Amino acid sequence: GIQSSGTKRDSLHIFRPFCIAINPYKRFPIYTLRTMELYVGKRRNECWPHIFAIAEGAYQGMQNSGCNQSILITGESGAGKTENTKKVISYFATICSSGKRKEGEASLEDKIVQTNPVLE
């Protein structure tokens, strides 16, 4: 089934278990810490379609089964694969970070996001 975030102008749709991002060039204020907090501990069907819902599903799957999980982010050149990968990494780093670090030390999120060119 298709789950839509509600209006024709919205940019995310989920075809279970896929999340399709449309119009990656338009900026929406939907990647904030507050938005992340809405998805922590929730199942995909409990929230609006979002890349954080996919990330949380993978995280819960890993926690519950103890098995590795995969998220496939695909698309044509310029479709937003790198940006969505950064959002997933940011989500994991944020929910897994203890928040404790030495003065001047980069955050866990910053360290992980810096590895993105290696992951590509």
Side-chain angles (χ1 to χ4, degrees), residues 32-51:
T32 63
L33 181 58
R34 172 76 181 112
T35 304
M36 281 185 195
E37 292 168 350
L38 295 173
Y39 290 87
V40 174
K42 302 279 176 53
R43 286 182 245 138
R44 278 197 306 252
N45 62 351
E46 296 178 309
C47 298
W48 290 107
H50 198 286
I51 192 69

Side-chain angles (χ1 to χ4, degrees), residues 82 85-86 88-90 93 106-120:
T82 300
T85 299
K86 288 178 184 178
V88 169
I89 290 169
S90 176
S107 69
L108 175 61
E109 178 183 351
D110 291 338
K111 289 177 184 177
I112 294 172
V113 170
Q114 287 173 1
T115 67
N116 192 55
V118 175
L119 297 174
E120 289 186 24

